[in-house]
Amino acid sequence: MPVDATLPYDDSNIFARILRGEIPSKRVYEDEFALAFHDIAPQAPLHILVIPKGRYVSWADFSATASEAEIAGFVRAVGKVAADAGLVESGYRLLANTGLDSHQEVPHLHVHIMAGRKLGPLLAR
């Protein structure tokens, strides 16, 4: 059972369907632990989503229940995607919304990698 009970895992969520190949995506990276693909509604000139291949709802769920190999593999995948995209020198933003108050829309853990321009403050004031 997921740690974040406010958003139960839904096997029909869009990311689960992308993982199963039911919905196409513009993939940029894949290994045994993670899949990365371009966001279909980018919020920055470069906007890539990285998702773990396991059934994890949120960062709380993932950090509490994923194996050490899954955690290390996912974190390394995020770093590799950013490096492969040439973002390390210029900088990028990582964003992972968790739960309803943060406006998490898909009940599958995902990290947004956003870059390509100065992104401004993290939160609107």
Side-chain angles (χ1 to χ4, degrees):
M1 177 173 195
V3 172
D4 184 353
T6 60
L7 288 172
Y9 193 83
D10 176 2
D11 282 312
S12 66
N13 79 67
I14 191 167
F15 297 157
R17 296 180 65 205
I18 287 171
L19 282 168
R20 291 193 300 267
E22 297 170 5
I23 296 175
S25 63
K26 187 176 174 189
R27 296 174 181 219
V28 297
Y29 179 83
E30 184 171 10
D31 66 16
E32 66 184 291
F33 301 109
L35 174 65
F37 51 93
H38 288 277
D39 193 297
I40 62 169
Q43 302 297 306
L46 181 67
H47 188 164
I48 296 171
L49 298 171
V50 186
I51 62 174
K53 288 194 169 177
R55 299 174 75 245
Y56 300 105
V57 173
S58 66
W59 200 262
D61 178 22
F62 181 70
S63 64
T65 61
S67 71
E68 297 297 319
E70 288 175 298
I71 293 169
F74 180 67
V75 171
R76 286 189 177 111
V78 172
K80 180 163 180 37
V81 169
D84 288 353
L87 304 177
V88 174
E89 187 174 323
S90 60
Y92 56 94
R93 176 170 292 157
L94 295 178
L95 176 67
N97 296 321
T98 297
L100 300 175
D101 282 353
S102 74
H103 200 64
Q104 181 179 359
E105 295 177 354
V106 179
H108 187 111
L109 172 62
H110 54 287
V111 173
H112 299 258
I113 299 175
M114 294 176 280
R117 65 173 165 79
K118 292 186 186 277
L119 298 174
L122 183 58
L123 296 172
R125 296 178 195 253

